[in-house]
Amino acid sequence: MKINNVEIEDTYAEAFPITVSRVLITAATEYYAKIAATEATGFGTSVIGCPAEAGIDCFVPGDKTPDGRPGYVIMICHPKKDELKHQLIERIGECILTAPTTAVFNWLPYEKLEDKTQEKRLDVKLHFFGDGFESKKTMGDRTVWAIPIMEGDFICEEEYGYKKGVAGGNFFIMGETQGSALMAAQAAVDAISLVEGCICPFPGGIVASGSKVGSLKYSKFMKASTNHKMAPTLKGKVADTEMPANVNAAYEIVIDGVDEETIAKAMTAGIKAACTIPGIVKISAGNYGGKLGPFKFELQKLLQ
Amino acid sequence: MKINNVEIEDTYAEAFPITVSRVLITAATEYYAKIAATEATGFGTSVIGCPAEAGIDCFVPGDKTPDGRPGYVIMICHPKKDELKHQLIERIGECILTAPTTAVFNWLPYEKLEDKTQEKRLDVKLHFFGDGFESKKTMGDRTVWAIPIMEGDFICEEEYGYKKGVAGGNFFIMGETQGSALMAAQAAVDAISLVEGCICPFPGGIVASGSKVGSLKYSKFMKASTNHKMAPTLKGKVADTEMPANVNAAYEIVIDGVDEETIAKAMTAGIKAACTIPGIVKISAGNYGGKLGPFKFELQKLLQ
Amino acid sequence: MKINNVEIEDTYAEAFPITVSRVLITAATEYYAKIAATEATGFGTSVIGCPAEAGIDCFVPGDKTPDGRPGYVIMICHPKKDELKHQLIERIGECILTAPTTAVFNWLPYEKLEDKTQEKRLDVKLHFFGDGFESKKTMGDRTVWAIPIMEGDFICEEEYGYKKGVAGGNFFIMGETQGSALMAAQAAVDAISLVEGCICPFPGGIVASGSKVGSLKYSKFMKASTNHKMAPTLKGKVADTEMPANVNAAYEIVIDGVDEETIAKAMTAGIKAACTIPGIVKISAGNYGGKLGPFKFELQKLLQ
Amino acid sequence: MKINNVEIEDTYAEAFPITVSRVLITAATEYYAKIAATEATGFGTSVIGCPAEAGIDCFVPGDKTPDGRPGYVIMICHPKKDELKHQLIERIGECILTAPTTAVFNWLPYEKLEDKTQEKRLDVKLHFFGDGFESKKTMGDRTVWAIPIMEGDFICEEEYGYKKGVAGGNFFIMGETQGSALMAAQAAVDAISLVEGCICPFPGGIVASGSKVGSLKYSKFMKASTNHKMAPTLKGKVADTEMPANVNAAYEIVIDGVDEETIAKAMTAGIKAACTIPGIVKISAGNYGGKLGPFKFELQKLLQ
């Protein structure tokens, strides 16, 4: 299969379950909402080494937010529910409460639930920071706390919905040069940023150093190591290289989302965008024979 | 004492020791160096709740870096040396190694040490990711590893210097309105960003919610709570308010640096910049009677 | 009338007709689309001294553009049709054709016209730059030129729709401090940026130096001079000041749009956003007794 | 000659005289200084079709500016002195006076002149906007005007130095793919941005569509047309192509500067930076047998 003369490999991305929360950060201006969202989602690329996987999902205009101010939705993800709760407490308490002009609200689900009492929530007891000076308020159909701080009153919800989502949606972009592969990766990330309900948690949304599970040489202490089959500088040195002769760089896009449908939509948008860039040779994806997780996203089906 | 008609309170900032590393991230372009630096220093405002205090220190032009490409220096700080080592491993491994086009180098000390063997370093064994395909190279007077990854070879040093630095340098900016206080805080952060060897680890460099040690009401489980004396919405409600009648918002700037001299320089530059903004009433600072730490920065002395 | 305790003056904004074109700039990535859009709309605040009024209207995602790539719509406005044509030629030829990875399309009307033959268009003969090497192509329902340039082929339409629009929609934001007024102006511009079909042509969307028609002292050679009634530093010095005692700074938001309805929508969104900011005293608007133009936007009616 | 395996062609860039002014824009924060600088230098790529060539030269920290606030230096260039004066009047009056929190100062020469009375200046009578309410002030060794406007007092100088500079310094970057050539162009622009006294006036500093003087086919009315010898999509179609077989895209960097030395420094820094990027094949430069101008910059000499 080819799109704009780019080969779409007949393979699939393998993904696994993760627990997801979505948090809306509003602020006086877009600029300050983004400042807080960026700090709160940093150091959040992969739970292999980071305390969570986190990123900015989407922008919400002021006429759609509880306080009439513009905001960004962030997603925070962790395989374990208790760790997710801990991350919500620390990332909201240290990176949003402290940020200029912000307020913070639960933003999961964005679809209206018929019966909210059925919804599962994690309790983040932010109001104790108010030291007894905090008070409850009603904002639309939400109950919020007003916590007196140095810049005025900080408005927040305390319970954040969570749900089972999907982590590790992915595809590889292989280019004739590093520049073409990176431009395509950037185009892919731009396109995926418009799909609501997902994040690309790596730096700028892009992975430069894909890994394989385990290690050939250091298997005693390394759980993951470089995906040597995809390393262009090893093309002439390893027997099992998977890099075509005319490919000199590859990037991976990794996607976490609220459900399978969102991952599929994001992968499709991202691959299509990557294929608009000159010098792209091939799109592939990472899978591990079903050992990593139960979700499969077949590239050629997505792009039919 | 007054500067531009802003009162400088006769008080001091109290600061404490912290262990500091400085890491240079270079990339093909400034843009991608900043992407990696931002991800690697996120979720890093205060070790009360974050795994480290981290931020971008300064830009380094390509003619001053080991590989001739532009870069940003980040600082990562933690009270404990072992935790700092752990943070270097994870933040470099997950947020820089994975970022497009980057390389990473030790950037402490920036002054040339007479005897480098005396310098203390933390060993971050990044090369194992190369799974035996990595190789040593010489770059100027540095020995670096070249690790084959998907985009080409990732160049890195593995040992990062550390030193005792100073955390918690601070001052308060009190304004007639939230807007004037925030504009002054932004001006202060802009000025401090030009002082080499320090960071303002909070979101955008600014703290909106200063805290006091302990809690009046929830002392059994809260180690810190809102600084109610500085909360403008409590002015008429608490007896011990310290907010002047014409002050309606305050922000705190918190600074971590490589040494006392740098903190002093940064505080001076920041306060002077804040005082250029209309609607600023007063500058103060936070201290705890010597219980927090051994370093004192007297505002009026700094500004003489 | 009050919104969030901000007084909405019982007055109206007076606006006048202007001829408007809308141009879509797509590029490989959002970043490069914005680079071109920014250059092409610079030096475009007011036709009093600039060769056009110009600005970025809105973002268009790749799945809505002719070439599947992300883009920004810019608006270029001039009272005279021939001058508008000249500005289209120069701004497209010098600032978009020259910009990396761009393509350029007519984006007026965005509503589908029943009978396109009725639509008025300005002919911008860009293809002559191709020196005979250019060729015609079909892209969806558009005929475009492919012009061979250094980076590949530049894709462009050559005929750009124009229509009578409205210039000079406006309102004033008066704040207790410069910081609060500017934060509110920024919030207003953020909100207006989401209204499709209009621009705020001044720097960052904001006017710091409103003017009156003519001059008291230099009337022989000055067509416009400072609006001294609105200057806070003249409050105690001129008899006819209109600045309330507690106002220390004001900003004006000026809006050009494709029609009256869009201006009304933009003014409403902008004023509401400004009123979310602490320290705002009053919203007013500029009018000239009908001498400037035929369009009236009454503030209190907009906000009912 | 080769740098990092990139061929440096044995040729030269030909440049011509232009009249240059340098203007310092300060503001409350870096952000607002950049907003004004961007608006004031827009629509300023080439005097072939733009009213001036203009761009941002460099950042000046607050401790080096007349008013203690951060600022950006812009350069405005035109072959004719009178046109330059006109452009100063309009760009300062419409794009800086109107921008939030700005002040504006002459920034040429930055070297101290022994005898300032000898210096040539253009008089931009900005103070008339004050309508008689303006007043003179002293700021350091400068006399400035304070003009009452809506946000407070606008501070400005009125006389701007000018000098003969050099326009059209240039080089070409030829890459295996569009992505590699553009990444190298971006790296070059990043490096040149650090050289004080020059600008890259094209969008983002980069030219995608280099031109030749005159036209083969439309010579009656086209003064310039596409440089067909450098168009990759014409490689197989024109006999006189200059694009190597493995080059698929080229970009040009054009530089205007205060003198020959600065252009030489900028070209050197830019070419070196471009050669750090993978997939770059060749660096060349544009010249016209001395018909365009008297300045020659030989590439191989610069890089010795």
mmCIF file of all heavy atoms in Angstrom, chain A residues 32 98 129 131 134 148 150-151 153 186 208 212 215 217-218 226 233 250-251, chain B residues 32 98 129 131 134 148 151 153 186 208 212 215 217-218 226 233 250-251:
data_model
loop_
_atom_site.group_PDB
_atom_site.id
_atom_site.type_symbol
_atom_site.label_atom_id
_atom_site.label_comp_id
_atom_site.label_asym_id
_atom_site.label_seq_id
_atom_site.Cartn_x
_atom_site.Cartn_y
_atom_site.Cartn_z
ATOM 1 N N TYR A 32 -0.894 31.928 29.976
ATOM 2 C CA TYR A 32 -0.674 31.401 31.326
ATOM 3 C C TYR A 32 -1.294 30.017 31.511
ATOM 4 O O TYR A 32 -0.807 29.220 32.322
ATOM 5 C CB TYR A 32 -1.116 32.415 32.382
ATOM 6 C CG TYR A 32 -0.080 33.500 32.531
ATOM 7 C CD1 TYR A 32 -0.286 34.786 32.049
ATOM 8 C CD2 TYR A 32 1.155 33.206 33.109
ATOM 9 C CE1 TYR A 32 0.707 35.760 32.136
ATOM 10 C CE2 TYR A 32 2.150 34.173 33.215
ATOM 11 C CZ TYR A 32 1.919 35.442 32.727
ATOM 12 O OH TYR A 32 2.908 36.395 32.818
ATOM 13 N N THR A 98 0.272 26.439 41.994
ATOM 14 C CA THR A 98 1.331 27.445 42.125
ATOM 15 C C THR A 98 1.429 28.385 40.924
ATOM 16 O O THR A 98 2.135 29.392 40.990
ATOM 17 C CB THR A 98 2.706 26.754 42.282
ATOM 18 O OG1 THR A 98 2.971 25.987 41.097
ATOM 19 C CG2 THR A 98 2.741 25.844 43.493
ATOM 20 N N PHE A 129 -4.932 22.748 51.687
ATOM 21 C CA PHE A 129 -3.924 23.805 51.562
ATOM 22 C C PHE A 129 -4.478 25.142 52.060
ATOM 23 O O PHE A 129 -3.727 26.018 52.489
ATOM 24 C CB PHE A 129 -3.458 23.931 50.104
ATOM 25 C CG PHE A 129 -2.347 24.923 49.904
ATOM 26 C CD1 PHE A 129 -1.039 24.598 50.227
ATOM 27 C CD2 PHE A 129 -2.598 26.197 49.397
ATOM 28 C CE1 PHE A 129 -0.003 25.515 50.063
ATOM 29 C CE2 PHE A 129 -1.571 27.118 49.226
ATOM 30 C CZ PHE A 129 -0.270 26.770 49.560
ATOM 31 N N ASP A 131 -6.035 25.732 54.687
ATOM 32 C CA ASP A 131 -5.841 25.856 56.134
ATOM 33 C C ASP A 131 -7.094 26.367 56.869
ATOM 34 O O ASP A 131 -6.989 27.139 57.829
ATOM 35 C CB ASP A 131 -4.644 26.794 56.412
ATOM 36 C CG ASP A 131 -4.093 26.576 57.832
ATOM 37 O OD1 ASP A 131 -4.458 25.565 58.486
ATOM 38 O OD2 ASP A 131 -3.308 27.428 58.294
ATOM 39 N N GLU A 134 -10.520 28.109 53.322
ATOM 40 C CA GLU A 134 -11.163 27.770 52.048
ATOM 41 C C GLU A 134 -12.677 27.688 52.226
ATOM 42 O O GLU A 134 -13.171 27.481 53.331
ATOM 43 C CB GLU A 134 -10.625 26.423 51.535
ATOM 44 C CG GLU A 134 -11.019 25.199 52.348
ATOM 45 C CD GLU A 134 -10.108 24.920 53.538
ATOM 46 O OE1 GLU A 134 -9.381 25.828 53.978
ATOM 47 O OE2 GLU A 134 -10.147 23.779 54.040
ATOM 48 N N PRO A 148 -7.948 30.772 49.381
ATOM 49 C CA PRO A 148 -7.240 32.072 49.368
ATOM 50 C C PRO A 148 -5.736 31.869 49.233
ATOM 51 O O PRO A 148 -5.119 31.188 50.058
ATOM 52 C CB PRO A 148 -7.586 32.684 50.731
ATOM 53 C CG PRO A 148 -8.802 31.936 51.203
ATOM 54 C CD PRO A 148 -8.645 30.548 50.659
ATOM 55 N N MET A 150 -1.926 33.937 47.462
ATOM 56 C CA MET A 150 -1.329 35.267 47.353
ATOM 57 C C MET A 150 -1.891 36.112 46.218
ATOM 58 O O MET A 150 -1.928 37.331 46.300
ATOM 59 C CB MET A 150 0.193 35.155 47.202
ATOM 60 C CG MET A 150 0.864 34.670 48.467
ATOM 61 S SD MET A 150 2.660 34.934 48.494
ATOM 62 C CE MET A 150 3.137 34.586 46.840
ATOM 63 N N GLU A 151 -2.291 35.463 45.115
ATOM 64 C CA GLU A 151 -2.774 36.262 43.985
ATOM 65 C C GLU A 151 -4.289 36.485 44.023
ATOM 66 O O GLU A 151 -4.829 37.159 43.149
ATOM 67 C CB GLU A 151 -2.396 35.601 42.655
ATOM 68 C CG GLU A 151 -3.098 34.305 42.410
ATOM 69 C CD GLU A 151 -2.949 33.770 40.982
ATOM 70 O OE1 GLU A 151 -2.244 34.365 40.159
ATOM 71 O OE2 GLU A 151 -3.565 32.734 40.701
ATOM 72 N N ASP A 153 -8.130 34.235 44.937
ATOM 73 C CA ASP A 153 -8.695 32.925 45.283
ATOM 74 C C ASP A 153 -8.413 31.921 44.169
ATOM 75 O O ASP A 153 -8.687 32.200 42.999
ATOM 76 C CB ASP A 153 -10.219 33.025 45.488
ATOM 77 C CG ASP A 153 -10.571 33.497 46.891
ATOM 78 O OD1 ASP A 153 -9.657 33.708 47.710
ATOM 79 O OD2 ASP A 153 -11.776 33.664 47.177
ATOM 80 N N GLN A 186 7.060 16.124 12.803
ATOM 81 C CA GLN A 186 6.445 17.360 13.277
ATOM 82 C C GLN A 186 5.057 17.530 12.648
ATOM 83 O O GLN A 186 4.094 17.921 13.324
ATOM 84 C CB GLN A 186 7.345 18.544 12.922
ATOM 85 C CG GLN A 186 6.902 19.864 13.516
ATOM 86 C CD GLN A 186 6.974 19.877 15.024
ATOM 87 O OE1 GLN A 186 8.042 19.706 15.605
ATOM 88 N NE2 GLN A 186 5.848 20.043 15.679
ATOM 89 N N ALA A 208 13.012 9.937 19.333
ATOM 90 C CA ALA A 208 14.186 9.789 18.472
ATOM 91 C C ALA A 208 14.896 8.463 18.702
ATOM 92 O O ALA A 208 15.706 8.043 17.884
ATOM 93 C CB ALA A 208 15.162 10.934 18.724
ATOM 94 N N LYS A 212 13.875 -1.610 22.118
ATOM 95 C CA LYS A 212 13.334 -2.977 22.103
ATOM 96 C C LYS A 212 13.222 -3.442 23.550
ATOM 97 O O LYS A 212 13.929 -2.931 24.437
ATOM 98 C CB LYS A 212 14.248 -3.904 21.310
ATOM 99 C CG LYS A 212 15.657 -4.097 21.896
ATOM 100 C CD LYS A 212 16.454 -5.134 21.108
ATOM 101 C CE LYS A 212 17.885 -5.272 21.595
ATOM 102 N NZ LYS A 212 18.780 -4.165 21.190
ATOM 103 N N SER A 215 17.617 -6.721 26.226
ATOM 104 C CA SER A 215 18.924 -6.337 25.702
ATOM 105 C C SER A 215 19.673 -7.596 25.283
ATOM 106 O O SER A 215 19.524 -8.661 25.902
ATOM 107 C CB SER A 215 19.697 -5.610 26.820
ATOM 108 O OG SER A 215 21.064 -5.516 26.514
ATOM 109 N N LYS A 217 23.109 -7.708 25.054
ATOM 110 C CA LYS A 217 24.397 -7.791 25.751
ATOM 111 C C LYS A 217 24.285 -7.561 27.258
ATOM 112 O O LYS A 217 25.041 -8.114 28.026
ATOM 113 C CB LYS A 217 25.338 -6.735 25.147
ATOM 114 C CG LYS A 217 26.762 -6.823 25.677
ATOM 115 C CD LYS A 217 27.721 -5.975 24.865
ATOM 116 C CE LYS A 217 29.133 -6.040 25.428
ATOM 117 N NZ LYS A 217 30.028 -5.137 24.713
ATOM 118 N N TYR A 218 23.368 -6.671 27.659
ATOM 119 C CA TYR A 218 23.276 -6.305 29.068
ATOM 120 C C TYR A 218 21.946 -6.787 29.666
ATOM 121 O O TYR A 218 21.292 -6.084 30.438
ATOM 122 C CB TYR A 218 23.378 -4.783 29.226
ATOM 123 C CG TYR A 218 24.554 -4.158 28.508
ATOM 124 C CD1 TYR A 218 24.356 -3.159 27.554
ATOM 125 C CD2 TYR A 218 25.873 -4.531 28.805
ATOM 126 C CE1 TYR A 218 25.431 -2.561 26.893
ATOM 127 C CE2 TYR A 218 26.950 -3.939 28.145
ATOM 128 C CZ TYR A 218 26.723 -2.957 27.188
ATOM 129 O OH TYR A 218 27.774 -2.373 26.554
ATOM 130 N N THR A 226 18.400 -0.029 22.907
ATOM 131 C CA THR A 226 18.148 0.564 21.591
ATOM 132 C C THR A 226 17.617 -0.476 20.601
ATOM 133 O O THR A 226 18.072 -1.620 20.577
ATOM 134 C CB THR A 226 19.418 1.237 21.033
ATOM 135 O OG1 THR A 226 19.054 2.034 19.905
ATOM 136 C CG2 THR A 226 20.475 0.211 20.602
ATOM 137 N N THR A 233 22.773 4.007 11.592
ATOM 138 C CA THR A 233 24.241 3.899 11.578
ATOM 139 C C THR A 233 24.704 2.458 11.777
ATOM 140 O O THR A 233 25.902 2.183 11.713
ATOM 141 C CB THR A 233 24.892 4.817 12.641
ATOM 142 O OG1 THR A 233 24.386 4.464 13.934
ATOM 143 C CG2 THR A 233 24.592 6.277 12.361
ATOM 144 N N ALA A 250 14.876 7.591 11.354
ATOM 145 C CA ALA A 250 13.488 7.254 11.633
ATOM 146 C C ALA A 250 13.072 7.895 12.954
ATOM 147 O O ALA A 250 13.912 8.115 13.845
ATOM 148 C CB ALA A 250 13.309 5.742 11.707
ATOM 149 N N TYR A 251 11.810 8.251 13.055
ATOM 150 C CA TYR A 251 11.228 8.716 14.322
ATOM 151 C C TYR A 251 9.985 7.905 14.610
ATOM 152 O O TYR A 251 9.318 7.412 13.682
ATOM 153 C CB TYR A 251 10.885 10.212 14.254
ATOM 154 C CG TYR A 251 12.119 11.078 14.220
ATOM 155 C CD1 TYR A 251 12.628 11.561 13.012
ATOM 156 C CD2 TYR A 251 12.800 11.378 15.386
ATOM 157 C CE1 TYR A 251 13.785 12.322 12.981
ATOM 158 C CE2 TYR A 251 13.961 12.143 15.360
ATOM 159 C CZ TYR A 251 14.443 12.612 14.155
ATOM 160 O OH TYR A 251 15.582 13.359 14.148
ATOM 161 N N TYR B 32 14.667 22.795 18.896
ATOM 162 C CA TYR B 32 14.665 21.431 19.427
ATOM 163 C C TYR B 32 15.468 21.314 20.719
ATOM 164 O O TYR B 32 15.165 20.462 21.557
ATOM 165 C CB TYR B 32 15.108 20.432 18.348
ATOM 166 C CG TYR B 32 13.978 20.171 17.386
ATOM 167 C CD1 TYR B 32 13.970 20.692 16.100
ATOM 168 C CD2 TYR B 32 12.866 19.444 17.800
ATOM 169 C CE1 TYR B 32 12.889 20.482 15.245
ATOM 170 C CE2 TYR B 32 11.789 19.232 16.955
ATOM 171 C CZ TYR B 32 11.807 19.750 15.684
ATOM 172 O OH TYR B 32 10.722 19.549 14.860
ATOM 173 N N THR B 98 15.566 10.707 24.278
ATOM 174 C CA THR B 98 14.409 10.465 23.402
ATOM 175 C C THR B 98 14.066 11.648 22.509
ATOM 176 O O THR B 98 13.252 11.500 21.586
ATOM 177 C CB THR B 98 13.158 10.143 24.248
ATOM 178 O OG1 THR B 98 12.847 11.282 25.064
ATOM 179 C CG2 THR B 98 13.368 8.936 25.133
ATOM 180 N N PHE B 129 22.254 1.702 27.174
ATOM 181 C CA PHE B 129 21.112 1.702 26.245
ATOM 182 C C PHE B 129 21.564 1.270 24.844
ATOM 183 O O PHE B 129 20.772 0.767 24.052
ATOM 184 C CB PHE B 129 20.470 3.098 26.205
ATOM 185 C CG PHE B 129 19.235 3.161 25.347
ATOM 186 C CD1 PHE B 129 18.025 2.655 25.800
ATOM 187 C CD2 PHE B 129 19.268 3.712 24.067
ATOM 188 C CE1 PHE B 129 16.885 2.701 25.008
ATOM 189 C CE2 PHE B 129 18.136 3.767 23.262
ATOM 190 C CZ PHE B 129 16.930 3.254 23.742
ATOM 191 N N ASP B 131 23.335 -1.158 24.030
ATOM 192 C CA ASP B 131 23.299 -2.621 23.900
ATOM 193 C C ASP B 131 24.554 -3.199 23.234
ATOM 194 O O ASP B 131 24.474 -4.184 22.475
ATOM 195 C CB ASP B 131 22.039 -3.029 23.104
ATOM 196 C CG ASP B 131 21.690 -4.511 23.347
ATOM 197 O OD1 ASP B 131 22.244 -5.110 24.289
ATOM 198 O OD2 ASP B 131 20.870 -5.045 22.584
ATOM 199 N N GLU B 134 27.320 0.741 21.158
ATOM 200 C CA GLU B 134 27.844 2.073 21.461
ATOM 201 C C GLU B 134 29.368 2.079 21.354
ATOM 202 O O GLU B 134 30.011 1.052 21.494
ATOM 203 C CB GLU B 134 27.401 2.501 22.872
ATOM 204 C CG GLU B 134 28.035 1.745 24.018
ATOM 205 C CD GLU B 134 27.305 0.448 24.388
ATOM 206 O OE1 GLU B 134 26.530 -0.074 23.551
ATOM 207 O OE2 GLU B 134 27.547 -0.040 25.499
ATOM 208 N N PRO B 148 24.016 4.354 18.880
ATOM 209 C CA PRO B 148 23.172 4.295 17.679
ATOM 210 C C PRO B 148 21.689 4.254 18.047
ATOM 211 O O PRO B 148 21.260 3.356 18.785
ATOM 212 C CB PRO B 148 23.592 2.967 17.016
ATOM 213 C CG PRO B 148 24.924 2.641 17.595
ATOM 214 C CD PRO B 148 24.881 3.171 18.999
ATOM 215 N N GLU B 151 17.397 7.964 14.954
ATOM 216 C CA GLU B 151 17.654 9.144 14.126
ATOM 217 C C GLU B 151 19.116 9.286 13.718
ATOM 218 O O GLU B 151 19.466 10.218 13.002
ATOM 219 C CB GLU B 151 17.182 10.417 14.843
ATOM 220 C CG GLU B 151 18.010 10.744 16.055
ATOM 221 C CD GLU B 151 17.767 12.135 16.622
ATOM 222 O OE1 GLU B 151 16.911 12.868 16.132
ATOM 223 O OE2 GLU B 151 18.467 12.480 17.592
ATOM 224 N N ASP B 153 23.289 8.814 15.511
ATOM 225 C CA ASP B 153 24.025 8.523 16.737
ATOM 226 C C ASP B 153 23.734 9.583 17.792
ATOM 227 O O ASP B 153 23.830 10.785 17.508
ATOM 228 C CB ASP B 153 25.537 8.490 16.461
ATOM 229 C CG ASP B 153 26.001 7.151 15.913
ATOM 230 O OD1 ASP B 153 25.166 6.231 15.787
ATOM 231 O OD2 ASP B 153 27.197 7.023 15.617
ATOM 232 N N GLN B 186 6.690 38.834 35.838
ATOM 233 C CA GLN B 186 7.216 38.439 34.527
ATOM 234 C C GLN B 186 8.492 39.227 34.205
ATOM 235 O O GLN B 186 9.475 38.663 33.702
ATOM 236 C CB GLN B 186 6.143 38.688 33.458
ATOM 237 C CG GLN B 186 6.501 38.171 32.097
ATOM 238 C CD GLN B 186 6.601 36.662 32.045
ATOM 239 O OE1 GLN B 186 5.647 35.953 32.318
ATOM 240 N NE2 GLN B 186 7.786 36.145 31.730
ATOM 241 N N ALA B 208 2.301 31.642 42.555
ATOM 242 C CA ALA B 208 1.066 32.358 42.858
ATOM 243 C C ALA B 208 0.539 32.043 44.246
ATOM 244 O O ALA B 208 -0.292 32.768 44.775
ATOM 245 C CB ALA B 208 -0.003 31.999 41.821
ATOM 246 N N LYS B 212 3.130 28.735 54.059
ATOM 247 C CA LYS B 212 3.821 28.807 55.357
ATOM 248 C C LYS B 212 4.153 27.376 55.774
ATOM 249 O O LYS B 212 3.514 26.418 55.329
ATOM 250 C CB LYS B 212 2.927 29.490 56.385
ATOM 251 C CG LYS B 212 1.630 28.744 56.723
ATOM 252 C CD LYS B 212 0.880 29.444 57.874
ATOM 253 C CE LYS B 212 -0.441 28.771 58.185
ATOM 254 N NZ LYS B 212 -1.510 29.054 57.210
ATOM 255 N N SER B 215 0.523 24.210 59.520
ATOM 256 C CA SER B 215 -0.868 24.563 59.294
ATOM 257 C C SER B 215 -1.504 24.905 60.634
ATOM 258 O O SER B 215 -1.160 24.328 61.670
ATOM 259 C CB SER B 215 -1.588 23.360 58.654
ATOM 260 O OG SER B 215 -2.975 23.511 58.719
ATOM 261 N N LYS B 217 -4.909 24.718 61.167
ATOM 262 C CA LYS B 217 -6.079 23.872 61.377
ATOM 263 C C LYS B 217 -5.826 22.387 61.097
ATOM 264 O O LYS B 217 -6.413 21.531 61.729
ATOM 265 C CB LYS B 217 -7.196 24.356 60.442
ATOM 266 C CG LYS B 217 -8.525 23.661 60.687
ATOM 267 C CD LYS B 217 -9.664 24.348 59.964
ATOM 268 C CE LYS B 217 -10.990 23.622 60.208
ATOM 269 N NZ LYS B 217 -12.077 24.227 59.429
ATOM 270 N N TYR B 218 -4.963 22.127 60.107
ATOM 271 C CA TYR B 218 -4.761 20.732 59.708
ATOM 272 C C TYR B 218 -3.335 20.286 60.023
ATOM 273 O O TYR B 218 -2.690 19.585 59.243
ATOM 274 C CB TYR B 218 -5.036 20.571 58.202
ATOM 275 C CG TYR B 218 -6.348 21.141 57.728
ATOM 276 C CD1 TYR B 218 -6.384 22.132 56.744
ATOM 277 C CD2 TYR B 218 -7.569 20.682 58.241
ATOM 278 C CE1 TYR B 218 -7.592 22.658 56.282
ATOM 279 C CE2 TYR B 218 -8.783 21.205 57.796
ATOM 280 C CZ TYR B 218 -8.784 22.186 56.812
ATOM 281 O OH TYR B 218 -9.968 22.705 56.367
ATOM 282 N N THR B 226 -1.434 27.419 53.022
ATOM 283 C CA THR B 226 -1.409 28.755 52.424
ATOM 284 C C THR B 226 -0.882 29.804 53.399
ATOM 285 O O THR B 226 -1.195 29.787 54.596
ATOM 286 C CB THR B 226 -2.811 29.160 51.916
ATOM 287 O OG1 THR B 226 -2.679 30.330 51.099
ATOM 288 C CG2 THR B 226 -3.773 29.478 53.054
ATOM 289 N N THR B 233 -7.535 38.169 49.701
ATOM 290 C CA THR B 233 -8.968 38.007 49.987
ATOM 291 C C THR B 233 -9.233 37.752 51.472
ATOM 292 O O THR B 233 -10.379 37.693 51.888
ATOM 293 C CB THR B 233 -9.580 36.864 49.134
ATOM 294 O OG1 THR B 233 -8.894 35.642 49.404
ATOM 295 C CG2 THR B 233 -9.492 37.191 47.646
ATOM 296 N N ALA B 250 -0.186 39.331 45.241
ATOM 297 C CA ALA B 250 1.262 39.220 45.412
ATOM 298 C C ALA B 250 1.738 37.961 44.708
ATOM 299 O O ALA B 250 1.006 36.978 44.580
ATOM 300 C CB ALA B 250 1.624 39.159 46.894
ATOM 301 N N TYR B 251 2.962 38.008 44.204
ATOM 302 C CA TYR B 251 3.619 36.819 43.654
ATOM 303 C C TYR B 251 4.976 36.669 44.312
ATOM 304 O O TYR B 251 5.593 37.666 44.748
ATOM 305 C CB TYR B 251 3.782 36.939 42.126
ATOM 306 C CG TYR B 251 2.460 36.823 41.405
ATOM 307 C CD1 TYR B 251 1.760 37.964 41.010
ATOM 308 C CD2 TYR B 251 1.898 35.579 41.157
ATOM 309 C CE1 TYR B 251 0.529 37.863 40.374
ATOM 310 C CE2 TYR B 251 0.665 35.478 40.520
ATOM 311 C CZ TYR B 251 -0.011 36.615 40.136
ATOM 312 O OH TYR B 251 -1.229 36.497 39.518
#
